[in-house]
Amino acid sequence: QVQLVESGGGLVQAGGSLRLSCAASGRTFRSYAMGWFRQAPGKEREFVAAISWSGGSTYYADSVKGRFTISRDNAKNTVYLQMNSLKPEDTAVYYCAAKRTVSSSLPGEYDYWGQGTQVTVSS
């Protein structure tokens, strides 16, 4: 069982930055691939970024590539999403998720989810 708690969301102007954190409970955190997803009002949940259990492999949606960076600290049971050059279209609730074995961009393949944190980017 893994419990995930996101933090770091907020209101920021376009062009600004935020860093989201996702703290995980459990001793097996390092065995899970982690992902970040987002959901805007009226839209489906979409993939943002993922990282392998070791942190050696990362994956990004085209819409955030070059602006967002996913990382993890297995000693702290935490995964991060550094978001730079934010745009109004990045506004959404951001969720972290945990998945056994390999990373994936498909939300249905993740086993555990956090409650989400709101990110609002004003123009």
Side-chain angles (χ1 to χ4, degrees):
Q1 187 79 5
V2 176
Q3 292 185 325
L4 305 172
V5 179
E6 302 97 335
S7 61
L11 173 64
V12 63
Q13 289 188 332
S17 298
L18 283 174
R19 189 176 81 154
L20 304 184
S21 299
C22 174
S25 65
R27 295 174 292 177
T28 59
F29 172 75
R30 64 179 64 244
S31 66
Y32 286 84
M34 299 296 295
W36 284 98
F37 294 80
R38 66 187 182 187
Q39 189 167 17
K43 294 188 176 181
E44 293 187 353
R45 191 167 298 189
E46 66 172 359
F47 170 73
V48 174
I51 189 167
S52 62
W53 67 270
S54 67
S57 297
T58 57
Y59 310 89
Y60 297 94
D62 288 342
S63 59
V64 307
K65 202 170 293 183
R67 299 189 297 123
F68 291 10
T69 302
I70 188 171
S71 61
R72 66 190 295 163
D73 185 338
N74 285 343
K76 295 183 178 179
N77 281 14
T78 302
V79 62
Y80 304 97
L81 185 68
Q82 177 68 44
M83 305 186 295
N84 299 329
S85 303
L86 282 161
K87 304 176 181 180
E89 51 263 45
D90 294 318
T91 295
V93 177
Y94 283 70
Y95 300 89
C96 71
K99 177 185 182 296
R100 295 181 184 90
T101 65
V102 299
S103 305
S104 171
S105 64
L106 302 176
E109 294 190 0
Y110 283 76
D111 302 297
Y112 302 101
W113 290 85
Q115 83 290 348
T117 185
Q118 176 71 47
V119 172
T120 303
V121 184
S122 63
S123 58

